[in-house]
Structure formats: structure tokens, C-alpha cells
Amino acid sequence: MRIAWIGKKSPFCGNVTYSREVTNALHREHEVSFLHFAQEESEPENWPNFQEVSLPFIYKSQVYTIPSFKATKLLTDSLREIKPDIVHASLTLSPLDFVLPEICEQLNLPLIATFHTPFAGKGAKFISGTQLLAYQLYAPFLGNYDRVIVFSQIQRELLARLGVKKKKIAVIPNGVDTAKFSPGDSTIKAEFKAERLFVYQGRIAPEKNVESLLRAWKQSQMRTSSKLLIVGDGPLKSSLEPFYGSESGIIWLGFVADEQRRIEILRGADVFILPSLVEGLSLSLLEAMSCGIACLATDVGADGEVLEQGAGVVLNTKTARSQLRTLLPLFQDHPELTTLLGQKARQRVLDRYTLSKNITQLEELYKEVLAQWPVPLGRRA
């Protein structure tokens, strides 16, 4: 099958990881072309060697992208030349997302979208007006795609309430390479002189609610042998770091580009904490679970669903700080508890959230859409 994948290659975020892992896996059996916004950075690691098309942009960030005026024509010409069987867009919160259906209709190409935009959770009122606006803005246009992939039934119901037909929404959860993200040896505790190691990994931004974790850690008066690693960068880092530092056992690592280094951190950690106010389905959480460490996350997006029935501890966004003040010392003093939760987390990923299962479901969706599409003979590779 010939697949044209449209997504992000930088800057690093969950959407980038999703595109990299899925296209890597698809490339083993299919012919994949990757169309992405041109990057000025050095070449990221772990990307497959396939045909690429760089689309020009005016601005891009971890959250959204503004393409240049030439991007639409270049995208159209590239798809006409590639002649894919199917187009899959990992939506980048870009104006291009809204014209893609029109372009593919002109070219007689079936079009699938993965909709990543985070949300607050079950039946939820949105915490962030920005997130609500994104859903309201996208819902009328998502109906123009042949299928829209979301990560949970909760998100499917949310889009359906906003007018997207349920038959067009496919639930395919994120998946993790469980061979790569697996329990193993690590020297990270020795490196930071820690007996107990707690980790946050993600953007340092308001929607991630990192300050609740930092305040809870400081108020819990953790032992000096317990350390909290903050892995990531973002707009709030410079304002938070001076007040929550090494004197409290908090170590700021910034963005860690090397994947093997991130795996080593997870393998050496005892507890992973994600106190977000909104999420989709956090790949960072799934990676931590797959490495066999105890996980705490708020019941937002699909994260609470991932940890339900004892696979981890589900926090309430309204009381996350007070809950963490209780739980941090508990997990510090009872290693047997974190060991048990780590085992359950690993098993949950093996049962539900493997990359291989994700790819199988994706291939089945492609075949279903193609079976309903009048593809000219000779196009399929």
C-alpha cells in the first residue's frame, strides 16, 4: 500500500513522536511518503529512510503551525506526483488541516485524520477555553475527512456531541514499542545520588499543571535522598525553576533529545507523575508504564482510562496538589507499593497499548476506507 503521511517532524512533542513511531512501523510493510513542515533544525534521530517533502512555514511551535502561502500548492503537486492509495494527516493545528479535504477530493484520494487535540475528560467541561474553541472550530471540518482517528471513546462521544457523525470516528489508542520501552538496568539513580526517584516528563506549560506537583513536593518535605526530575522545556520553566531547585531535591534536566537517555531515566525511576489539566492520550505516560514504573496521572483526556482498575493512581485535577502531598511520602516510604504498581502498569500496556496492535488496527482502517472508495485501477502498489 502507498501511504502519504502528513505530520510534524519538529519541534519535539507528542504529535512528532506519534508520526515517527507509526511511520517507522508502517514503512516495514508499506511504501510511505512523509510530508511535513520544513525544519531548520538538525536531522532528528530514529526516523525511517523514506521519501520526504518539506512544506514551507511562517511559524511553528509545539502547539500549532502557520504554513506559508506556497505550502498548499506544494502539497497538492506532491500528492499528485506521489499518487498514494491513501492520505493520512496527523493534524498539526494548522490552517492546512481545513483545506486538506478539498485538496484530496480534487485528486480523488481518500483522507484519514488523527485528531490529537487534548481535552479535560469524562463528560467534561473544558478547563481551557482554548481547547473548547479548538474542538468547536474543527468539528464541522472533521466531517469532510473519510475517517477521524481519536484515542478513546470519551473523545469520540465529545466530537459526536459537536456534530461529527459517529460512523466517521474510529477509536485507535496510541501504542508503544514495548521492546524498546521496557524495564531494564539504569545508572540514573547513582548519577543523581537518589534512593528514590520521581519523574515528570512533558512541556512546562500552564495546561500541564507542573506547579501543583512542584508545590506538593516542596510542602511534603521529602527526604534529601529522594529526587524529582523535571524533564522538558516550555514557557513556564524560567519562572518556576528559580523557586523550586536542588535545595528541595528538584532537578531540572530541560529537554532531553536523546531517546535512549529518556528510556534510561524511566527505567531508573520509581514513580512517574503527570498532573495535566488537559490531555489526549499521553505517549509519555504510556512509555513510563511500559518501562514498568508506578504512574500517577490526572483523570483528563484518556489518561484516567489508561490507569483505571489499579494500573496506576488517578488524580483529580481540582485536588491534585493535596493528593500528591499525601501520595509522594507514601511512595517514598513504601517501595513495595511502587514495584507492584509498576508491574501492573507494564501489564496494562501489554494488554491494550502496544504499537503492534495500533498498527494492525490502522491497517484494517485503511483497508476498510479503500474498500469503500472508487480507486482507479493501477494506483494501488
Side-chain angles (χ1 to χ4, degrees):
M1 190 184 302
R2 190 176 297 140
I3 303 162
W5 185 278
I6 303 170
K8 290 180 73 171
K9 200 169 183 179
S10 67
F12 182 82
C13 62
N15 194 324
V16 170
T17 303
Y18 176 82
S19 287
R20 184 191 66 207
E21 295 299 309
V22 173
T23 53
N24 252 316
L26 288 171
H27 189 55
R28 293 165 193 156
E29 300 289 336
H30 306 283
E31 184 180 335
V32 180
S33 300
F34 189 40
L35 298 88
H36 60 86
F37 290 102
Q39 57 186 72
E40 67 285 349
E41 302 90 348
S42 59
E43 183 71 10
E45 59 181 24
N46 301 324
W47 286 89
N49 181 24
F50 46 36
Q51 178 185 5
E52 293 190 28
V53 176
S54 295
L55 303 172
F57 65 94
I58 297 171
Y59 174 82
K60 65 175 177 175
S61 70
Q62 289 178 313
V63 179
Y64 63 93
T65 305
I66 302 175
S68 76
F69 294 113
K70 296 179 181 178
T72 301
K73 184 178 187 305
L74 178 56
L75 173 63
T76 305
D77 292 344
S78 298
L79 290 175
R80 186 178 285 115
E81 181 180 334
I82 293 167
K83 295 183 174 63
D85 294 303
I86 202 158
V87 179
H88 188 152
S90 180
L91 298 182
T92 57
L93 293 186
S94 155
L96 207 56
D97 299 342
F98 303 106
V99 299
L100 266 174
E102 183 179 339
I103 292 171
C104 288
E105 184 179 11
Q106 290 173 0
L107 299 175
N108 193 32
L109 295 172
L111 175 62
I112 290 174
T114 299
F115 188 58
H116 297 265
T117 302
F119 59 105
K122 294 179 181 176
K125 293 181 178 178
F126 282 70
I127 298 294
S128 165
T130 304
Q131 305 302 334
L132 175 57
L133 180 62
Y135 272 76
Q136 291 175 328
L137 181 65
Y138 267 83
F141 292 91
L142 292 177
N144 298 326
Y145 287 76
D146 292 289
R147 291 292 187 282
V148 178
I149 296 170
V150 296
F151 302 131
S152 72
Q153 288 294 341
I154 303 168
Q155 195 178 11
R156 183 172 185 255
E157 294 297 327
L158 178 57
L159 284 175
R161 290 204 306 270
L162 291 172
V164 184
K165 292 180 180 178
K166 280 191 174 183
K167 66 181 181 181
K168 286 205 169 188
I169 309 171
V171 178
I172 303 180
N174 278 335
V176 177
D177 184 337
T178 53
K180 181 167 61 175
F181 288 91
S182 61
D185 295 331
S186 172
T187 60
I188 202 76
K189 279 187 176 178
E191 180 180 337
F192 293 108
K193 298 180 175 58
E195 288 183 18
R196 303 289 285 164
L197 191 61
F198 298 72
V199 172
Y200 166 83
Q201 179 178 294
R203 293 186 73 233
I204 316 300
E207 69 273 11
K208 296 296 185 179
N209 199 27
V210 182
E211 190 170 9
S212 284
L213 167 59
L214 296 170
R215 292 177 67 183
W217 179 274
K218 202 167 183 179
Q219 291 166 359
S220 296
Q221 297 182 326
M222 304 289 280
R223 292 198 299 263
T224 56
S225 58
S226 293
K227 308 293 183 186
L228 172 61
L229 298 188
I230 305 295
V231 183
D233 206 346
L236 294 185
K237 182 174 182 286
S238 59
S239 62
L240 291 175
E241 189 173 358
F243 298 99
Y244 302 96
S246 56
E247 71 284 353
S248 301
I250 300 170
I251 301 167
W252 296 78
L253 295 187
F255 170 61
V256 177
D258 183 79
E259 183 178 71
Q260 198 53 49
R261 172 67 168 171
R262 295 198 303 273
I263 292 172
E264 184 186 18
I265 290 169
L266 293 175
R267 285 176 172 173
D270 297 294
V271 180
F272 178 89
I273 306 160
L274 191 63
S276 304
L277 297 175
V278 291
E279 282 288 348
L281 172 51
S282 170
L283 272 169
S284 292
L285 174 62
L286 293 178
E287 289 168 356
M289 294 173 69
S290 190
C291 287
I293 66 176
C295 292
L296 291 75
T298 41
D299 190 11
V300 295
D303 290 357
E305 182 180 312
V306 170
L307 295 178
E308 67 184 2
Q309 298 175 347
V313 176
V314 181
L315 306 171
N316 186 305
T317 53
K318 294 179 181 178
T319 57
R321 181 159 58 94
S322 60
Q323 287 179 280
L324 286 169
R325 279 205 311 267
T326 301
L327 291 168
L328 290 171
L330 180 68
F331 285 150
Q332 171 186 255
D333 299 335
H334 295 278
E336 70 283 357
L337 180 58
T338 55
T339 299
L340 177 61
L341 282 176
Q343 292 168 349
K344 288 187 173 184
R346 169 75 176 173
Q347 192 58 51
R348 173 59 55 81
V349 170
L350 292 173
D351 291 342
R352 299 186 189 177
Y353 300 103
T354 64
L355 181 60
S356 60
K357 186 176 292 186
N358 176 285
I359 297 302
T360 298
Q361 291 178 285
L362 196 53
E363 289 172 329
E364 289 172 354
L365 182 65
Y366 288 167
K367 291 173 185 175
E368 176 189 315
V369 170
L370 285 170
Q372 300 169 359
W373 191 267
V375 182
L377 290 175
R379 175 177 287 158
R380 296 185 187 181

